[in-house]
């Protein structure tokens, strides 16, 4: 089964990782100010790179998501298979003596 971002999950993994990174940066800042500033600069560079890639190629670019379209197709096919299996099951279970 493919997990989607609208599964009703409490928190997206992306935001969980960002929160842990900020907490670690805060701990480093309280331990040593210079080390904390270096970690903050590194996190800033990572954030700028992520924003560039997201705006250029990813979810923030405005392009339609291929993943969502694929998930919709999978759900439709699962519904069709479930309906066919239910119809076949109803037809076969009519008389148990007639089963092969």
């Amino acid at each position: 089964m493919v997990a989607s971002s609208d599964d009703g999950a409490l928190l997206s993994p992306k935001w969980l990782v960002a929160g842990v990174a900020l907490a670690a940066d805060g701990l480093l800042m309280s331990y040593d100010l210079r080390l904390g500033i270096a970690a903050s600069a590194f996190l800033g560079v990572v954030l700028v790179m992520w924003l560039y890639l997201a705006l250029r190629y990813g979810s923030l670019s405005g392009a339609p998501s291929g993943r969502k379209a694929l998930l919709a197709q999978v759900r439709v096919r699962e519904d069709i298979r479930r309906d066919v299996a239910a119809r076949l099951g109803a037809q076969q279970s009519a008389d148990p003596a007639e089963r092969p």
Side-chain angles (χ1 to χ4, degrees):
M1 176 187 264
V2 178
S4 68
S5 61
D6 55 356
D7 281 344
L10 186 61
L11 191 62
S12 173
K14 165 178 57 178
W15 298 114
L16 183 64
V17 168
V20 169
L22 287 175
D25 187 38
L27 285 172
L28 282 174
M29 193 81 70
S30 69
Y31 177 70
D32 183 14
L33 186 61
R34 288 182 292 170
L35 188 59
I37 291 172
S40 296
F42 176 73
L43 285 176
V45 169
V46 168
L47 177 68
V48 167
M49 288 174 47
W50 178 83
L51 278 174
Y52 172 74
L53 291 174
L55 287 171
R56 177 86 174 163
Y57 304 108
S59 60
L60 300 177
S61 66
S65 171
R67 181 179 181 268
K68 288 184 180 179
L70 183 63
L71 284 175
Q73 288 178 359
V74 167
R75 287 185 183 123
V76 167
R77 289 179 183 162
E78 284 177 353
D79 291 342
I80 291 172
R81 287 182 184 134
R82 196 176 303 118
D83 291 343
V84 168
R87 275 190 247 138
L88 288 176
Q91 290 175 357
Q92 290 177 357
S93 65
D95 189 7
E98 294 181 10
R99 285 192 207 164

